[in-house]
Amino acid sequence: MKPIVFIHIPKCAGTSFCDTLEIPENKRGHGNLKELKMRIDSDIWNKYKKITIIRNPFERLISTYSYRKQKGYDLKWIHNRNLYGQLLENQNDYTFEDWFWNLDIQMHVGSFSTLYKEKVHWPSNFNSCYDLMLNDNNDIMDIDYVIRFENLNEDLKKVFGDLNLEVPKLPNKNSTKHKHYSEYFKCPSIDKKYYIKTTNIKYRRIRCKKVS
């Protein structure tokens, strides 16, 4: 067992990282720093190094959409209709715009915390990486290493080298193929400028604490 506590942010290579660390299935789950701290022994929390992986917020959002659409997870919330209430010829023909504005999806995928059997899972796909990393004092100083998805291999080398551990080779798990995120924001109902401004502010706050 490696002396690591991993904060698993959705769609940031977390499943691959958990496999590499050999984290038991019943100890895995998406979550935020505060909730994870409540469920871990304080001695382990204080002794182990805290690590997380972050990702470009737009790529992460599109990856979430593509993955959930591929798995059919949100069909029950789409109700076979698009954003404007029009009936879809095929229930899986909904667009990113339909998905983005669906309040049922946002409520059930992005808001509630659940404990399913022994597996801790917080559906936090709509929360920003920054929000999931806040501690009780609303800062992210409790995390020792922030790895960037876009620089994954290099950052892993630096982190595991610093910890005197063998650098892992991550398997490719739960990935999807999709177009560049900018293609999905070409819809009239989403204020891209506002979304970019508010999301990038939070992303820049994390990047200042990146692996050095």
Side-chain angles (χ1 to χ4, degrees), residues 39-102:
R39 290 171 165 83
I40 293 179
D41 181 88
S42 59
D43 288 338
I44 292 177
W45 184 264
N46 294 327
K47 186 185 299 183
Y48 284 22
K49 294 295 184 181
K50 271 73 73 180
I51 296 176
T52 194
I53 304 173
I54 64 172
R55 186 177 186 178
N56 176 291
F58 308 105
E59 273 294 333
R60 178 171 168 257
L61 181 65
I62 299 306
S63 179
T64 298
Y65 160 72
S66 300
Y67 177 72
R68 294 187 66 83
K69 185 173 184 178
Q70 175 180 289
K71 294 291 186 179
Y73 289 156
D74 297 325
L75 291 176
K76 58 184 175 181
W77 311 121
I78 292 294
H79 304 302
N80 207 31
R81 294 184 181 275
N82 65 16
L83 171 65
Y84 307 101
Q86 299 166 329
L87 194 66
L88 299 171
E89 291 186 11
N90 186 305
Q91 64 176 353
N92 205 41
D93 283 345
Y94 64 90
T95 66
F96 171 67
E97 186 180 23
D98 299 329
W99 181 85
F100 183 89
W101 287 116
N102 189 295

Side-chain angles (χ1 to χ4, degrees), residues 109-126:
V109 178
S111 300
F112 299 108
S113 302
T114 59
L115 184 61
Y116 180 68
K117 295 183 179 179
E118 294 182 351
K119 181 177 180 181
V120 177
H121 183 84
W122 300 282
S124 44
N125 292 279
F126 290 118

Side-chain angles (χ1 to χ4, degrees), residues 17-18 33 39 49 64 75 85 94 98 116 135-136 159 169 178-179 195 209-210:
F17 196 71
C18 286
L33 189 70
R39 290 171 165 83
K49 294 295 184 181
T64 298
L75 291 176
Y94 64 90
D98 299 329
Y116 180 68
N135 64 16
D136 293 332
V159 170
K169 294 182 179 179
H178 52 78
K179 296 176 290 187
Y195 189 81
K209 298 179 182 297
K210 66 185 180 182

